[in-house]
Amino acid sequence: MSYLSLLRQRPVLVLWLAETLSVFGDRFFTLALAWTAWQRSGAVAMGLVVVVESVPHLLIGTFGRKLIARFAAFRALAAVEAVQVVIVGAMPWLWPSLGLAGVLVVIVLVGICDALTGPSLAALVPGMVKKDQVRQVTGLMDVSNRLTWFLGPGSAAALLPFLPAEQLFLIDAATFTVSAVAFAWLGRTAAPLSPAAPSHEGDGPADTSESPRALAVLRAHPRIGCALALSGIGEFFSTAWTIGIPIWLTSQLHAGAGAYAVVLSAMGIGAVAGNLLTGNVTFVALPGRFPAAYCLVWVGRGLLLAAFALSSSLMEAAALAAAASALVPLPSISLSAEIGSLPGPQRLRVFTADSVKLHVASMSSMLALPALLERAPKASFAAAGAATACAGAVAWLAARALARRPVLVKEAGSELARR
């Protein structure tokens, strides 16, 4: 089924439009926050904002499984979005009156809302379609992220010369208003999170608890566990792209901001093209392809990352960045679709674990990699790429080995049922 066919279903269309607008607004919020922090409080404040916003994701994702389970409904998410309308809309007045310390508290509140919304929404989406449409609807939601990653900041940057950065907060608040209305409507029409769906792997009884432990779920589904571990390692080293490209362009190619814009545009086009291929082509979803194809794609991403150390011109850098970005949606959609086929409470917990993993990888890589990339960019790209490729190969071997141990899987399934 194509994306257009999915969009003929009214609940899917409403959710996709609301999420696209919301994610677009979030890009405005991110740029406005970074710009305002830089102007009012300096570079240290920018780093504090990133770290503080991630803390609620780590704490709630790790210790708040029952809390997240209570918000796994569209009506509850509508209330969370309404709270964010007030918080984000007040930012232009809060920063001058509260100062940096007060704004950091506000950022924590925004992080709490995001920590509740992200996993819950990811778990609710698969329940809106038939089982054979989970991969396509996952790709449809993913394409919003790919488009807005370069359209959102670009639009915000184009508006900054004409209006204060604080006004971008109001645009984001408006998008939250749309999301709140859409979620309230979906709360009356869409099916709730179902606990009764059977496990697609067939290795244990379905879980009927409201908030199973992530470890128990992953032990019952070792292929997903290996994929999560691999993506954590891969996302850690993927920071070499975001931080390393401007360093590479300026220090190695002696290029300027225009070259950076070219590479970013190439990455955006590659990511969208990769999404359209992944979400609509069925060969990557054939039985037995996961996690083998998933791991091999990470191997390919690692090799492209290492090859970037050999680029000697802007065209080569743009081509390698676009090729690597084209591979990004495939593992993302494949893993999300695999998690989406789990029973409701299980997929909610695994999506939460996935969110925690992403924030841990992002925070730790931002602390470790920038200094290395600045001092030795060529060696850093080569090492990061080699480590990613090796991790992909090891994860593939580990997943095959674990799949041959049905006794342990059944024991994990029994433990899951007891919990």
Side-chain angles (χ1 to χ4, degrees), residues 60 64-73 76 116 119-120 193 209-212 345 348-349 352:
I60 294 177
R65 59 190 178 92
K66 293 184 179 180
L67 176 63
I68 293 176
R70 292 177 181 175
F71 283 87
L116 296 173
S120 298
L193 194 66
S209 66
E210 293 184 358
S211 54
L348 174 62
R349 193 58 195 145
T352 304

Side-chain angles (χ1 to χ4, degrees), residues 40-351:
R40 294 181 180 272
S41 306
V44 175
M46 294 177 67
L48 280 175
V49 163
V50 174
V51 172
V52 168
E53 195 274 337
S54 296
V55 170
H57 289 269
L58 302 180
L59 295 179
I60 294 177
T62 304
F63 305 107
R65 59 190 178 92
K66 293 184 179 180
L67 176 63
I68 293 176
R70 292 177 181 175
F71 283 87
F74 280 114
R75 288 185 177 179
L77 294 182
V80 174
E81 297 293 279
V83 170
Q84 294 197 82
V85 172
V86 177
I87 296 173
V88 175
M91 284 293 286
W93 297 276
L94 289 176
W95 204 303
S97 59
L98 296 180
L100 178 60
V103 170
L104 291 178
V105 174
V106 174
I107 299 303
V108 169
L109 296 177
V110 173
I112 291 173
C113 293
D114 287 344
L116 296 173
T117 302
S120 298
L121 187 59
L124 286 166
V125 168
M128 298 176 64
V129 297
K130 298 178 181 178
K131 185 176 181 180
D132 59 354
Q133 299 174 351
V134 170
R135 183 184 186 84
Q136 284 70 33
V137 78
T138 301
L140 178 63
M141 297 302 164
D142 179 83
V143 77
S144 299
N145 286 319
R146 307 301 166 196
L147 288 169
T148 55
W149 264 122
F150 64 96
L151 292 178
S155 301
L159 290 174
L160 278 176
F162 305 102
L163 77 167
E166 290 85 352
Q167 298 301 316
L168 298 180
F169 291 119
L170 300 181
I171 296 177
D172 190 30
T175 65
F176 278 123
T177 302
V178 175
S179 294
V181 174
F183 288 165
W185 181 81
L186 288 169
R188 295 183 298 164
T189 60
L193 194 66
S194 173
S199 167
H200 77 286
E201 292 192 8
D203 293 324
D207 173 52
T208 57
S209 66
E210 293 184 358
S211 54
R213 296 184 182 275
L215 182 59
V217 179
L218 295 178
R219 288 172 65 182
H221 304 279
R223 300 186 304 169
I224 294 178
C226 287
L228 281 178
L230 171 57
S231 64
I233 297 172
E235 294 297 340
F236 176 90
F237 289 111
S238 291
T239 300
W241 288 113
T242 56
I243 300 297
I245 285 180
I247 295 175
W248 184 265
L249 292 175
T250 55
S251 64
Q252 302 297 313
L253 303 185
H254 308 290
Y260 188 38
V262 169
V263 175
L264 287 180
S265 298
M267 294 176 70
I269 293 171
V272 173
N275 173 280
L276 296 177
L277 178 66
T278 304
N280 292 283
V281 176
T282 58
F283 73 90
V284 289
L286 292 175
R289 294 285 183 177
F290 186 91
Y294 179 90
C295 296
L296 291 177
V297 170
W298 274 109
V299 172
R301 289 179 63 178
L303 294 176
L304 288 170
L305 180 58
F308 196 82
L310 303 176
S311 62
S312 58
S313 69
L314 176 59
M315 292 302 297
E316 291 178 0
L320 287 170
S325 296
L327 293 180
V328 171
L330 199 155
S332 176
I333 293 174
S334 297
L335 179 56
S336 295
E338 197 75 10
I339 299 172
S341 62
L342 294 174
Q346 293 185 32
R347 68 172 179 260
L348 174 62
R349 193 58 195 145
V350 178
F351 274 126

